[in-house]
């Protein structure tokens, strides 16, 4: 169960990496911070409601939807702004140039969030207020109680994924995005506003990340500006695992990685007779990342790419 | 004309060093002195004069100031350590064009190599109580670290260099995180690294010259002796690295690296064994980082995994980029500028803000009304926002000056020659 | 018949569903200039890329001086004696002309790592000898005095000639030239033709040239092979090729819808 929750979370974040990569062939290194911005928006909304005493009055489902919408909007806008400021001027530069800029953006945003929160609340370690409804256990089987929040993560993630699938495959906008991903120049000739579509890709990817951020916060409660980095790296692993640029692949990769990680966390110590415990689950995830990148960079579902000479 | 320049630069160097000696607390005086190497580099001087002046600054003036103000030596040592790292990364990123985001891992390997055997730590897994090894073992371990670093670089490079540029960045980042996780967790089942608690006390190198000093009748205060000693070790190491880098740069190997950076496929088609050359770049860079790691461990006496985070890798990358990728002088400049920015300016600004805060003065701002300075939030400390500063530097450099602030001398000379034709 | 320098047998290469080369056979003798022509997309550059080791063929065999080249790395192929130029000039733009030519010598430049670091005499000698030879090559292609200029600052025609010098630096027995006169004025291509003819006399055994400029092909090539849709449709002397019905069809048959081919 824990694995599924993790998996859907990774899947949502991985979509942001994979969408941007699909269109620009560029690793948006700062996506992990876009994700954590969502988590911070969520906590701020909830804390403000708590301070005004309205938190208990809200219907829990509406509350969650409202918080999610807030996180998605702000994360999406941040991603949009990031693209405008740090990436767009570098389009067409050698591959490593925008990547370095993205790394810079990632670092900048981490401390920027810290700065804002420090000035505003005088601390940057924040805790989500408890919402009683989300903690309610649902008995799935004997000895297995799963809190509502775990279902919430899975349900929301599924809804988002369906929505995104619909957007990309069934709307004119989605067709335009796919056209830009295939061949930006031809798409421009066909009258598609390439810049707008790239911006849109960032917005949608960022919003997915933001939603994941809110869910992350609701599920694990404790957040700080640096807690996006590791999940971000793992989500990138998931995106590569599924074949970068491939949307269903990102979801599959996220689920596979989440399940593997949860298994590693619980069984590693059993298999090794207690020698290696759960603290190696990060090592495990990175080892997967390294091995995948080296031996199967096209991922599980990636297509063969023809190399230009 | 040349003589006039020489005299002017000499005057600047001596004047600023006198100022810095006279006002040891003045940040500005220190900065002016620190800029003297840049002045020496930029002034139109003959190569020989330039070398002599640089030697004057590094070998005499700086230690002379450091004796008066050990903090100054501390900064110089830090600059030297980062310069060595930046020079190592410059070979990998700047010359061969391979973005290595896990460079700090090699630094960590060198540091832990000496930390484990140069402290009682190794007794935890090797019986016999031979450890710590004596101070005399430091220099053999420095050599060993070069070999171990180079081999680790080869071992990592062998599988990793098959992947494409941007993936390489992520793989190396993953590698560094794995190394750090291992350092954090290898305190059980067998205690190799002592985990997050770190290792201490680490032996410092032997003062083999102490009898000679005594013989000469020179007496140096013990509090200054070790910083001075480390300063000269770092200085020598950096000089050695510069010489090796320069020689490689001007050989078939350096040309092959640059060719790979410019166009890998064309390089292969011209007979450059691409994989072998990339491996060599990885190994040489790693060897430099590992060597300076041992010095770092000995200087700090205490190390733990927190010194080897991703932030360090990015800091070194920023140094290489600020100075200009692929240039030795650029790497030195970037390392100096950013270390000073980080250690002196940001910390200085933090201290200043603190004092302002404590003064409790109230200033009146136009339109905003009165502002009580003690109200500046305590969380607002520039020194804690190095990620923000370094991140901003990376973005701005990429957008406005991807070739670095210090354009290589050769390019300028070329430009002049081309303009003269 | 004497042993051919290059022997290609049954060479086939597919990219996904596209058959770029299909069962191509070809033999090149020593001391000749051979041309490879064909409409755009016929597979000419793919053939060069396979010869240079950038692609691995799906089927077929390539023998060069009696030795198989299939499966060798690009740099091993250079060391074996095959060098090339590129259709869309691929010089190392930020490096000087001299450095570009020195890169071409890499396969023959035996500089050990420790020789370099210690700056031993062996290194200094190798370096100065190769530099002298590089300058000689630069002079040979007519770029005297341009040694210290960055490659990207040279004019288009100069860049083509520098690329030739760089390829020559590898001391190839077989030199592959991909559209060497593209973008050159007729005076420039004329002097290049003369240079190529001299090269076959004294330094390169065989030249294999992809060319669209038919006057050049007819002027210097002794044999011509024609590719169309990845298949060799004709081979022979220039006169035979010009009158070959399938060649005429391949070129003229498309004129209606691809006038610039």
């Amino acid at each position: 169960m824990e694995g599924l929750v993790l998996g859907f979370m990774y899947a949502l974040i991985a979509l942001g990496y994979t969408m941007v990569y699909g269109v620009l062939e560029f690793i948006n290194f700062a996506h992990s911070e876009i994700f954590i911005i969502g988590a911070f928006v969520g906590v701020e909304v909830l804390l403000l409601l708590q301070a005004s005493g309205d938190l208990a009055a809200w219907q829990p489902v509406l509350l969650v939807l409202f918080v999610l919408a807030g996180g998605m909007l702000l994360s999406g806008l941040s991603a949009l702004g990031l693209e405008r400021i740090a990436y767009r001027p570098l389009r067409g530069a050698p591959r490593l140039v925008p990547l370095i800029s993205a790394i810079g953006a990632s670092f900048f945003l981490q401390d920027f969030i810290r700065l804002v929160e420090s000035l505003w609340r005088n601390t940057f370690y924040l805790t989500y207020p408890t919402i009683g409804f989300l903690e309610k256990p649902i008995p799935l089987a004997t000895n297995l109680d799963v809190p509502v929040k775990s279902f919430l993560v899975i349900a929301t993630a599924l809804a988002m994924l369906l929505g995104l699938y619909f957007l990309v495959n069934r709307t004119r906008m989605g067709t335009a995005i796919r056209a830009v991903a295939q061949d930006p120049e031809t798409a421009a000739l066909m009258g598609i506003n390439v810049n707008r579509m790239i911006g849109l890709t960032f917005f949608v990817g960022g919003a997915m990340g933001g939603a994941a951020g809110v869910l992350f916060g609701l599920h694990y409660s404790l957040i700080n500006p640096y807690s996006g980095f590791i999940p971000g790296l793992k989500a990138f692993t998931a995106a590569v695992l599924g074949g970068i640029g491939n949307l269903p692949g990102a979801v599959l990769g996220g689920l596979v990685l989440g399940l593997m990680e949860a298994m590693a966390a619980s069984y590693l110590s059993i298999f090794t007779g207690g020698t290696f415990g759960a603290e190696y689950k990060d090592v495990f995830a990175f080892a997967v990342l390294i091995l995948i990148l080296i031996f199967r960079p096209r991922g599980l579902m990636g297509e063969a790419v023809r190399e230009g000479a | 004309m040349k003589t006039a320049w020489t005299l002017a630069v000499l005057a600047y160097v001596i004047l600023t060093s006198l100022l810095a000696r006279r006002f040891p607390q003045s940040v500005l005086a220190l900065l002016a002195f620190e800029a003297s190497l840049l002045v020496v580099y930029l002034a139109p001087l003959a190569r020989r004069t330039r070398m002599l002046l640089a030697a004057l600054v590094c070998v005499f003036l700086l230690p002379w100031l450091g004796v008066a103000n050990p903090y100054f030596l501390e900064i110089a040592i830090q600059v030297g350590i980062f310069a060595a790292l930046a020079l190592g990364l410059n070979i990998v990123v700047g010359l061969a064009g391979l973005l290595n985001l896990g460079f700090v891992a090699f630094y960590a390997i060198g540091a832990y190599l000496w930390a484990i055997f140069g402290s009682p730590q190794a007794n935890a897994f090797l019986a016999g109580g031979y450890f710590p090894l004596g101070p005399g073992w430091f220099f053999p371990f420095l050599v060993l670290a070069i070999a171990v670093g180079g081999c680790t670089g080869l071992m990592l490079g062998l599988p990793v260099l098959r992947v494409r540029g941007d993936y390489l960045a992520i793989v190396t980042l993953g590698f560094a995180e794995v190394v750090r996780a291992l350092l954090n967790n290898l305190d059980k089942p067998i205690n190799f690294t002592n985990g997050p608690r770190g290792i201490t006390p680490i032996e410092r190198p032997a003062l083999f010259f102490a009898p000679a000093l005594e013989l000469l009748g020179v007496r140096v205060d013990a509090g200054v002796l070790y910083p001075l000693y480390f300063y000269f070790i770092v200085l020598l190491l950096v000089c050695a690295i510069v010489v090796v880098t320069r020689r490689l740069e001007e050989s078939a190997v350096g040309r092959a690296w640059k060719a790979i950076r410019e166009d890998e496929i064309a390089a292969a088609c011209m007979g450059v064994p691409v994989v072998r050359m990339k491996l060599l770049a990885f190994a040489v860079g790693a060897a430099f980082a590992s060597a300076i790691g041992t010095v770092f461990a000995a200087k700090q006496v205490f190390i733990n995994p927190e010194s080897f985070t991703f932030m360090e890798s990015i800091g070194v990358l920023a140094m290489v980029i600020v100075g200009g990728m692929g240039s030795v002088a650029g790497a030195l400049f970037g390392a100096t500028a950013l270390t000073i920015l980080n250690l002196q300016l940001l910390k200085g600004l933090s201290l200043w803000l603190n004092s302002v805060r404590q003064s409790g003065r109230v200033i009146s701002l136009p339109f905003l009304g009165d502002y009580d300075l003690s109200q500046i939030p305590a969380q607002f400390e520039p020194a804690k926002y190095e990620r923000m500063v370094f991140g901003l530097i990376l973005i701005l450099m990429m957008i406005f000056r991807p070739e670095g602030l210090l354009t290589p001398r050769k390019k300028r000379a070329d430009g002049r020659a081309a303009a003269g034709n | 018949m004497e042993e051919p320098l290059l022997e290609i047998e049954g060479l086939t290469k597919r990219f996904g569903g596209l058959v770029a080369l299909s069962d191509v056979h070809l033999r090149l003798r020593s001391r000749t200039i051979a041309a490879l022509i064909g409409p755009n997309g016929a597979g000419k550059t793919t053939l060069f890329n396979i010869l240079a080791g950038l692609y691995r063929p799906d089927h077929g065999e390539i023998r060069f001086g009696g030795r198989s080249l299939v499966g060798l790395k690009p740099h091993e192929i250079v060391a074996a004696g095959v060098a090339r130029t590129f259709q869309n000039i691929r010089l190392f733009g930020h490096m000087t002309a001299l450095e570009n030519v020195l890169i071409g010598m890499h396969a023959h430049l035996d500089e050990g790592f420790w020789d370099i670091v210690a700056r031993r005499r062996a290194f200094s000698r190798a370096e100065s000898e190769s530099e002298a030879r590089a300058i000689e090559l630069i002079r040979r292609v007519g770029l005297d005095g341009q040694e210290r200029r960055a490659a990207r600052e040279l004019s288009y025609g100069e860049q083509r000639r520098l690329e030739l010098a760089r390829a020559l630096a590898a001391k190839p027995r077989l030199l592959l030239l991909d559209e060497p006169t593209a973008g050159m004025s007729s005076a420039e291509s004329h002097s290049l033709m003369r240079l190529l003819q001299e090269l076959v006399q004294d330094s390169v055994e065989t030249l294999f040239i992809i060319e669209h400029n038919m006057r050049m092909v007819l002027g210097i090539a002794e044999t011509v092979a024609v590719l169309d849709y990845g298949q060799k449709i004709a081979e022979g002397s220039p006169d035979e090729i010009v009158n070959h019905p399938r060649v005429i069809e391949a070129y003229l048959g498309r004129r209606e819808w691809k006038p610039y081919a």
Side-chain angles (χ1 to χ4, degrees):
Chain A
M1 196 65 200
E2 181 63 8
L4 275 181
V5 171
L6 264 179
F8 275 107
M9 209 107 76
Y10 289 155
L12 273 182
I13 312 172
L15 283 172
Y17 285 108
T18 229
M19 284 179 74
V20 168
Y21 200 93
V23 173
L24 289 179
E25 294 218 342
F26 149 71
I27 301 172
N28 182 9
F29 205 88
H31 189 60
S32 50
E33 278 59 51
I34 298 295
F35 153 76
I36 211 68
I37 284 177
F40 272 91
V41 172
V43 79
E44 281 300 336
V45 171
L46 289 174
L47 286 174
L48 286 176
L49 284 177
Q50 192 181 39
S52 66
D54 294 337
L55 191 61
W58 280 65
Q59 214 268 327
V61 175
L62 271 180
L63 180 68
V64 168
L65 283 180
F66 179 66
V67 174
L68 270 175
M72 288 173 72
L73 186 68
L74 224 79
S75 283
L77 289 178
S78 321
L80 202 63
L82 188 66
E83 195 270 330
R84 272 307 261 283
I85 296 167
Y87 305 153
R88 190 175 295 178
L90 301 175
R91 219 177 282 156
R95 242 188 151 80
L96 294 183
V97 169
L99 178 60
I100 292 171
S101 178
I103 294 167
S106 161
F107 270 52
F108 175 81
L109 285 176
Q110 287 175 4
D111 267 359
F112 184 72
I113 300 170
R114 173 176 169 171
L115 179 67
V116 170
E117 288 295 343
S118 299
L119 293 178
W120 168 239
R121 295 201 181 270
N122 211 19
T123 174
F124 52 92
Y125 291 92
L126 297 182
T127 315
Y128 269 65
T130 17
I131 302 171
F133 169 73
L134 293 179
E135 303 298 329
K136 222 181 281 169
I138 298 176
L140 267 191
T142 37
N143 298 335
L144 183 64
D145 287 347
V146 177
V148 172
K149 60 186 182 184
S150 296
F151 285 106
L152 174 78
V153 173
I154 295 171
T156 321
L158 275 176
M160 297 277 160
L161 296 177
L162 284 177
L164 181 69
Y165 183 80
F166 181 78
L167 177 79
V168 172
N169 288 312
R170 295 289 152 81
T171 62
R172 278 177 59 91
M173 216 148 68
T175 317
I177 290 184
R178 279 182 297 144
V180 173
Q182 284 266 319
D183 184 345
E185 279 162 39
T186 314
L189 286 178
M190 295 302 167
I192 295 172
N193 183 338
V194 173
N195 272 336
R196 191 139 104 223
M197 287 308 134
I198 290 176
L200 191 69
T201 309
F202 270 88
F203 180 80
V204 173
M208 294 283 150
V214 172
L215 296 174
F216 179 85
L218 286 171
H219 198 262
Y220 299 102
S221 3
L222 258 177
I223 56 166
N224 73 56
Y226 309 112
S227 47
F229 184 70
I230 296 285
L233 207 54
K234 287 182 185 164
F236 176 75
T237 310
V240 177
L241 190 64
I244 197 148
N246 178 324
L247 297 185
V251 179
L252 180 77
L255 289 177
V256 170
L257 191 72
L259 288 171
M260 283 203 299
E261 193 183 319
M263 296 233 260
S266 40
Y267 295 122
L268 211 54
S269 82
I270 301 174
F271 283 145
T272 58
T275 315
F276 299 110
E279 67 271 17
Y280 280 93
K281 72 180 182 357
D282 283 0
V283 175
F284 177 76
F286 291 131
V288 170
L289 170 72
I290 295 175
L291 293 177
I292 292 280
L293 282 178
I294 293 173
F295 294 108
R296 203 166 159 74
R298 279 180 268 125
L300 299 175
M301 292 174 73
E303 306 137 35
V305 190
R306 185 180 157 185
E307 253 180 86
Chain B
M1 191 61 198
K2 277 263 153 76
T3 345
W5 270 107
T6 311
L7 287 177
V9 173
L10 190 65
Y12 175 86
V13 168
I14 290 175
L15 194 72
T16 51
S17 61
L18 284 173
L19 271 174
R21 174 100 183 188
R22 175 72 187 77
F23 305 103
Q25 301 306 323
S26 160
V27 176
L28 280 180
L30 277 191
L31 280 179
F33 174 69
E34 280 155 352
S36 57
L37 279 180
L38 191 62
V39 171
V40 170
Y41 177 77
L42 290 176
L45 300 172
R47 193 182 144 82
R48 243 195 125 102
T49 331
R50 187 172 291 131
M51 297 299 257
L52 282 174
L53 282 169
L56 172 75
V57 172
C58 293
V59 180
F60 294 105
L61 294 178
L62 217 150
W64 177 65
L65 289 175
V67 172
N69 184 1
Y71 169 68
F72 201 40
L73 273 182
E74 171 66 25
I75 287 185
I77 295 170
Q78 292 277 3
V79 166
I81 288 177
F82 279 111
L85 287 173
L87 284 165
L89 190 62
N90 177 50
I91 288 190
V92 185
V93 181
L95 288 178
L98 307 164
L99 186 53
N100 182 349
L101 294 183
F103 197 62
V104 76
F106 302 119
Y107 180 47
I109 285 167
Y112 267 86
L113 187 68
W114 176 240
I116 289 173
F117 294 100
S119 76
Q121 179 61 27
N123 290 328
F125 56 92
L126 287 177
Y130 293 115
F131 303 101
L133 292 174
W137 282 91
F138 175 79
F139 289 103
F141 262 73
L142 187 63
V143 177
L144 185 66
I146 293 175
V148 170
C151 290
T152 331
L154 283 182
M155 264 161 30
L156 173 69
L158 223 41
V160 151
L161 288 173
R162 306 196 318 184
V163 308
R164 249 193 5 228
D166 45 358
Y167 279 14
L168 177 72
I170 305 290
V171 174
T172 48
L173 163 59
F175 168 74
E177 288 297 311
V178 168
V179 167
R180 198 161 63 88
L182 288 177
L183 294 178
N184 259 319
N185 291 315
L186 273 183
D187 50 348
K188 58 191 171 304
I190 303 168
N191 187 357
F192 286 111
T193 64
N194 211 26
R197 281 152 299 165
I199 299 176
T200 197
I202 302 162
E203 288 285 343
R204 297 189 281 193
L207 295 165
F208 59 85
F209 49 83
L213 279 186
E214 237 165 77
L215 217 65
L216 288 170
V218 184
R219 292 182 47 137
V220 187
D221 179 29
V224 184
L225 184 59
Y226 267 113
L228 263 181
Y229 187 25
F230 277 113
Y231 170 75
F232 279 107
I233 292 177
V234 170
L235 184 65
L236 268 176
L237 208 52
V238 170
C239 286
I241 289 175
V242 167
V243 169
V244 171
T245 308
R246 273 267 150 83
R247 288 183 173 181
L248 286 172
E249 218 184 334
E250 290 161 8
S251 74
V253 171
R255 286 192 297 268
W257 283 338
K258 282 189 268 177
I260 291 171
R261 181 188 66 193
E262 300 237 332
D263 185 339
E264 189 174 326
I265 289 172
C269 288
M270 290 306 125
V272 174
V274 171
V275 173
R276 205 181 310 154
M277 286 297 142
K278 283 182 173 181
L279 274 177
L280 190 61
F282 242 61
V284 172
F288 291 168
S290 173
I292 202 71
T294 55
V295 178
F296 174 73
K299 181 190 93 74
Q300 294 296 91
V301 185
F302 162 77
I303 59 165
N304 73 355
E306 281 314 292
S307 306
F308 309 101
T309 58
F310 183 45
M311 174 64 213
E312 302 298 310
S313 289
I314 296 303
V316 178
L317 178 67
M319 291 167 188
V320 175
I321 286 171
V322 163
M325 287 197 258
S327 124
V328 169
L332 292 174
F333 168 75
T336 315
L338 292 195
T339 311
I340 289 173
L341 172 74
N342 201 6
L343 289 182
Q344 248 181 290
L345 295 184
L346 292 185
K347 290 229 168 89
L349 209 57
S350 288
L351 289 176
W352 177 77
L353 269 176
N354 252 331
S355 66
V356 167
R357 201 177 293 134
Q358 268 150 26
S359 73
R361 280 223 312 267
V362 178
I363 54 164
S364 23
L365 296 167
F367 308 116
L368 291 172
D370 291 346
Y371 187 72
D372 184 356
L373 286 177
S374 64
Q375 294 293 303
I376 300 173
Q379 287 290 337
F380 187 66
E381 264 191 63
K384 292 202 176 137
Y385 292 93
E386 50 172 2
R387 282 165 182 254
M388 194 154 138
V389 175
F390 278 55
L392 204 59
I393 289 174
L394 284 181
I395 301 176
L396 294 179
M397 289 300 299
M398 284 302 108
I399 294 179
F400 296 109
R401 240 186 124 104
E403 77 279 10
L405 295 180
L406 206 66
T407 333
R409 171 174 307 282
K410 214 174 96 211
K411 287 241 177 72
R412 286 191 292 139
D414 283 356
R416 231 177 287 143
N421 278 345
Chain C
M1 190 182 150
E2 73 173 307
E3 176 83 0
L5 181 66
L6 180 76
E7 215 173 347
I8 298 173
E9 271 171 22
L11 202 64
T12 301
K13 177 72 191 173
R14 292 186 201 89
F15 293 109
L18 178 82
V19 183
L21 287 176
S22 139
D23 197 30
V24 173
H25 293 259
L26 205 64
R27 282 160 168 245
L28 297 185
R29 280 179 294 119
S30 267
R31 303 272 164 232
T32 47
I33 298 181
L36 181 64
I37 64 170
N40 280 335
K44 304 183 298 286
T45 298
T46 304
L47 179 62
F48 269 27
N49 283 342
I50 291 176
L51 287 176
L54 291 179
Y55 299 147
R56 217 195 146 92
D58 296 323
H59 293 290
E61 177 60 324
I62 303 166
R63 266 189 303 278
F64 176 73
R67 172 183 173 199
S68 173
L69 293 185
V70 175
L72 291 188
K73 301 257 165 52
H75 69 91
E76 292 166 336
I77 289 179
V78 177
V82 182
R84 71 171 295 181
T85 65
F86 295 88
Q87 187 180 343
N88 48 336
I89 309 177
R90 293 178 85 153
L91 287 166
F92 308 111
H94 291 86
M95 297 167 75
T96 64
L98 184 67
E99 283 177 314
N100 269 278
V101 177
L102 285 171
I103 283 288
M105 292 179 191
H106 194 98
H108 304 284
L109 206 52
D110 202 16
E111 293 179 4
F113 179 77
W114 297 110
D115 287 344
I116 295 171
V117 171
R119 214 161 252 193
R120 294 231 182 87
R121 200 173 299 151
F123 161 76
S124 305
R125 197 185 311 128
E127 195 73 349
S128 58
E129 277 171 12
S130 51
E131 196 163 310
R133 212 177 80 123
I135 290 173
E136 179 53 39
L137 279 170
I138 288 174
R139 184 167 308 146
R140 175 120 202 222
V141 298
L143 293 175
D144 328 34
Q146 311 277 26
E147 290 87 359
R148 304 280 161 193
R149 286 181 65 192
R152 60 182 176 152
E153 292 167 6
L154 299 175
S155 75
Y156 191 81
E158 287 173 332
Q159 290 192 6
R160 282 237 174 262
R161 280 180 278 154
L162 179 57
E163 219 191 15
L164 179 63
R166 184 178 68 173
L168 285 174
K171 294 188 189 159
R173 295 176 67 194
L174 172 65
L175 180 56
L176 310 171
L177 301 173
D178 200 342
E179 301 195 23
T181 63
M184 279 188 175
S185 70
S186 74
E188 276 178 319
S189 19
H190 202 75
S191 73
L192 184 75
M193 268 168 65
R194 223 173 314 138
L195 175 62
L196 294 181
Q197 277 165 331
E198 281 169 31
L199 288 177
V200 191
Q201 301 302 315
D202 62 15
S203 36
V204 182
E205 278 182 43
T206 298
L207 288 174
F208 194 23
I209 305 174
I210 294 178
E211 190 51 77
H212 279 304
N213 178 347
M214 283 310 279
R215 195 184 301 159
M216 159 124 179
V217 172
L218 301 179
I220 65 170
E222 289 163 50
T223 61
V224 181
V226 189
L227 280 182
D228 189 29
Y229 287 119
Q231 287 180 317
K232 190 180 81 178
I233 56 170
E235 188 178 5
S237 72
D239 288 339
E240 286 165 357
I241 291 301
V242 178
N243 299 313
H244 198 291
R246 286 199 63 186
V247 178
I248 295 168
E249 189 199 317
Y251 272 94
L252 298 186
R254 284 185 203 173
R255 190 152 274 172
E256 292 148 43
W257 51 276
K258 207 162 184 189
Y260 302 109

